[in-house]
Amino acid sequence: MSTYLHHETHFQSSDLLRDIVIGMADGLTVPFALAAGISGAVAGSAVVVTAGVAEIVAGSIAMGLGGYLAAQGEAEHYNSELVREEQEIIEKPQAEMDEVAELFRQYGLTEQHYGGVIDGLKGNPLAWRDFMMRFELGLQKPDSRRAGQSALTIGGSYILGGLVPLAPYMATASAAQALPWSIGVTLMALAVFGFVKGSFTGAARLKSALQTASIGGLAAAAAFVLARAIS
Amino acid sequence: MSTYLHHETHFQSSDLLRDIVIGMADGLTVPFALAAGISGAVAGSAVVVTAGVAEIVAGSIAMGLGGYLAAQGEAEHYNSELVREEQEIIEKPQAEMDEVAELFRQYGLTEQHYGGVIDGLKGNPLAWRDFMMRFELGLQKPDSRRAGQSALTIGGSYILGGLVPLAPYMATASAAQALPWSIGVTLMALAVFGFVKGSFTGAARLKSALQTASIGGLAAAAAFVLARAIS
């Protein structure tokens, strides 16, 4: 039982963590690369800040609402599959029994092993439905508050992340002067973020730090070169 | 068996579809809103195109590589859990048996029902491990080619989506003149995209079309207002 509870907790905190990671990874990277790209083509910081703020607003809304709709879509998908499984159990119990048997046969089990489970589920259609949802379809009941929470977490993390690379452009009138500061603080922030992310997800922390910083650096370099080339 | 195969196919195509949706939803929305935002503050299309291209480059790399690392992280997570389950089955078989029992007890089953399954799994440790991976942890073996494929699909969809709102700015020198065209073609593209997405995911298609167009419109309006306010 304690193991089960442990896993449940693990699942929930990883949802929150995943939302922060999704928002902050892009929030640190895209406005940073955009600002660097514009710096390669335009002299004044004002344009960079305007574009950067527009990007942060657009990105946080797109990602936040995108997260909201994704979570809502998951909940709708769960409910429609629930109704379908319920009907199938009533209308085609034999086919559903075959599906349960097939699940167990994949693990080398025979009817002698899983026959009892089928007998038990037949006596309790609601439990049978829930069993199919989780074990056949791999779906778990979504938390109804998750959609809104997910939207705010992703959007907020994006804004926080996006303000880091823009800060130097807000402090200096020359984009060329702000650029190295923006590169410095953002690569540092990306590395710290990657390190912390690695600690939570169990990945190697230094490797994770290097990866997030590399993606940001690569995106910024590519944006810089292309924006300069076309302007 | 055919049902099982059907579900497998469904899972794979939904991975590809999910990647296209992730890339294109943001690709249509963020560069669109960014371009609209800059149009609210700057007169010439050239700056909008420069910023837009920088954003598309940055966004496609950040999202593509982000998708790559996410898929790679999933594979690493799967492998590390596989090793852990294997060890636990060897070192603490009783605890693992309790976990299997607990899984079944949630569905109102008693030892009389699930006893056979435990007996069967005990005789086949590798199948037992795979059983725990899927049914206790809810993990499925990730496809090793998925990370690279996912990166290219997400990045490519982002670029394709992002070129739609920028096209009018490339055709006209005045940002103010290009803006209404950009709004028109992008809202139309977002609605078509939402409609097609709804057809695949089983959501109501008109509702889906309205939702994706609304997010894009809202993000663009907010970016326009904020960029104009600070410039």
Side-chain angles (χ1 to χ4, degrees):
Chain A
M1 188 65 194
S2 71
T3 309
Y4 177 66
L5 282 175
H6 166 75
H7 282 134
E8 287 294 295
T9 319
H10 175 77
F11 269 121
Q12 278 167 20
S13 75
S14 84
D15 277 345
L16 178 68
L17 189 72
R18 202 193 57 181
D19 288 343
I20 293 176
V21 166
I22 289 173
M24 193 155 287
D26 276 26
L28 279 168
T29 306
V30 182
F32 166 51
L34 173 73
I38 301 176
S39 301
V42 166
S45 279
V47 175
V48 178
V49 173
T50 301
V53 168
E55 210 288 333
I56 291 175
V57 172
S60 61
I61 291 178
M63 290 199 79
L65 280 183
Y68 180 81
L69 292 181
Q72 208 188 38
E74 265 176 46
E76 277 168 20
H77 180 61
Y78 183 88
N79 291 329
S80 77
E81 291 289 330
L82 196 73
V83 170
R84 208 177 64 137
E85 280 301 333
E86 215 165 274
Q87 278 176 339
E88 285 180 354
I89 283 168
I90 294 167
E91 290 164 11
K92 307 184 272 183
Q94 187 57 50
E96 291 296 302
M97 275 184 251
D98 289 346
E99 285 178 15
V100 177
E102 181 52 41
L103 276 180
F104 288 113
R105 274 203 293 266
Q106 289 176 260
Y107 299 93
L109 301 173
T110 62
E111 193 164 358
Q112 165 203 355
H113 300 121
Y114 60 72
V117 171
I118 293 185
D119 286 341
L121 292 175
K122 271 198 289 192
N124 187 349
L126 286 183
W128 190 2
R129 175 198 69 185
D130 292 340
F131 183 90
M132 299 307 278
M133 288 300 286
R134 173 139 179 213
F135 296 121
E136 190 205 3
L137 302 176
L139 297 175
Q140 283 191 288
K141 194 172 170 55
D143 183 342
S144 59
R145 293 158 311 179
R146 235 188 85 54
Q149 224 176 52
S150 185
L152 290 177
T153 311
I154 294 177
S157 307
Y158 194 94
I159 294 172
L160 275 182
L163 290 175
V164 172
L166 281 196
Y169 295 95
M170 292 172 177
T172 327
S174 151
Q177 260 187 309
L179 179 61
W181 288 97
S182 179
I183 293 174
V185 293
T186 310
L187 287 185
M188 210 153 65
L190 279 166
V192 170
F193 166 72
F195 191 87
V196 173
K197 188 182 94 175
S199 317
F200 279 100
T201 58
R205 285 172 295 189
L206 281 177
K207 186 179 152 202
S208 173
L210 207 68
Q211 276 180 339
T212 51
S214 304
I215 293 182
L218 188 66
F224 184 89
V225 169
L226 245 109
R228 174 162 280 190
I230 64 158
S231 71
Chain B
M1 190 65 194
S2 71
T3 309
Y4 177 67
L5 283 176
H6 166 74
H7 283 133
E8 287 294 294
T9 319
H10 175 76
F11 269 121
Q12 278 168 19
S13 75
S14 84
D15 277 345
L16 178 68
L17 189 73
R18 202 194 56 183
D19 288 343
I20 294 176
V21 166
I22 289 174
M24 194 157 284
D26 276 26
L28 279 168
T29 306
V30 182
F32 166 50
L34 173 73
I38 300 177
S39 300
V42 166
S45 281
V47 176
V48 178
V49 173
T50 300
V53 168
E55 209 289 331
I56 291 175
V57 173
S60 61
I61 291 177
M63 290 198 79
L65 280 184
Y68 180 82
L69 292 181
Q72 209 188 36
E74 264 176 46
E76 278 168 19
H77 180 61
Y78 183 89
N79 290 330
S80 76
E81 292 288 331
L82 197 72
V83 171
R84 208 175 64 135
E85 281 300 333
E86 216 166 271
Q87 278 176 339
E88 284 180 355
I89 284 169
I90 295 167
E91 289 164 13
K92 307 184 271 184
Q94 187 56 50
E96 290 296 302
M97 276 184 247
D98 290 346
E99 285 178 15
V100 177
E102 180 52 40
L103 278 179
F104 287 112
R105 274 202 293 268
Q106 287 175 259
Y107 300 93
L109 300 174
T110 63
E111 191 163 0
Q112 166 203 356
H113 300 119
Y114 60 72
V117 171
I118 292 184
D119 285 341
L121 292 176
K122 271 197 289 191
N124 188 348
L126 285 182
W128 190 3
R129 175 199 69 185
D130 293 340
F131 183 90
M132 300 307 280
M133 288 301 286
R134 173 140 180 212
F135 295 122
E136 191 206 3
L137 302 177
L139 297 174
Q140 283 193 287
K141 195 172 169 56
D143 183 342
S144 59
R145 293 159 310 179
R146 236 188 84 55
Q149 223 176 53
S150 186
L152 290 177
T153 311
I154 294 177
S157 306
Y158 193 96
I159 294 171
L160 275 182
L163 289 175
V164 172
L166 281 197
Y169 295 96
M170 294 173 175
T172 328
S174 151
Q177 259 186 311
L179 179 60
W181 287 97
S182 179
I183 294 174
V185 292
T186 310
L187 288 185
M188 209 153 66
L190 278 166
V192 170
F193 166 72
F195 191 87
V196 173
K197 187 182 95 176
S199 319
F200 279 100
T201 58
R205 284 173 294 188
L206 281 177
K207 186 179 151 202
S208 173
L210 208 66
Q211 276 179 339
T212 50
S214 304
I215 293 183
L218 188 66
F224 184 89
V225 170
L226 245 108
R228 172 162 280 189
I230 64 158
S231 72

